[in-house]
Amino acid sequence: MWHGMFLFLLGLLTGFAEPRFANMRMGLAAHLEGVMNGTFLIALGAIWNHIRLSPRAKTIAFWSALFSTYANLLVTTLAAVFGTAALSPITAAGHTGQAWQETLVTVGFMTIGITVVAFSLLVLWGLRSKAPH
């Protein structure tokens, strides 16, 4: 839950920087990612003791959740700073970054997306009603 509150705070602070980003719409997205992912981690922390997984699987879920939520704020903020359009045509609004920036942001978002889906499935598995206690 500490990480959730910290990420929430980072999201709030990112909001103060919105006007300084190359792409202010993506800056708003970064702000919202921090606030929403922080809230998500707080909620995940509240149900954590109800997740029934092996110690190894639970550790993987924990670190995957932290990685993906912090990385989401970081990559979205980088996209705002660079003004990239990678995987975000609506928030790009005519912006385009350099090729290496677009590639970096694309790889970042793809990695985050895969990690979020994987740990979500793991947590769902741990929350099933027939999970061993």
Side-chain angles (χ1 to χ4, degrees):
M1 289 186 179
W2 184 91
H3 286 283
M5 201 62 231
F6 183 64
L7 192 56
F8 187 88
L9 175 62
L10 290 177
L12 292 175
L13 296 175
T14 303
F16 290 127
E18 280 177 38
R20 299 183 182 269
F21 292 130
N23 181 347
M24 286 191 289
R25 281 186 180 183
M26 190 60 83
L28 173 61
H31 158 69
L32 293 173
E33 288 296 344
V35 170
M36 290 187 323
N37 280 306
T39 303
F40 168 73
L41 286 179
I42 292 168
L44 185 61
I47 65 165
W48 193 252
N49 290 331
H50 298 283
I51 299 170
R52 306 292 181 213
L53 294 169
S54 70
R56 182 171 189 246
K58 206 164 185 180
T59 299
I60 290 169
F62 176 84
W63 289 108
S64 296
L66 286 186
F67 164 77
S68 61
T69 53
Y70 279 103
N72 202 349
L73 175 61
L74 175 66
V75 172
T76 308
T77 302
L78 284 176
V81 169
F82 295 154
T84 60
L87 302 178
S88 54
I90 293 172
T91 52
H95 294 275
T96 304
Q98 297 176 18
W100 71 269
Q101 294 169 332
E102 295 286 345
T103 300
L104 176 67
V105 170
T106 297
V107 169
F109 281 143
M110 293 298 292
T111 302
I112 292 162
I114 292 166
T115 305
V116 167
V117 169
F119 93 73
S120 295
L121 290 170
L122 199 54
V123 169
L124 274 172
W125 180 254
L127 289 171
R128 69 196 186 285
S129 62
K130 294 182 181 182
H133 295 283

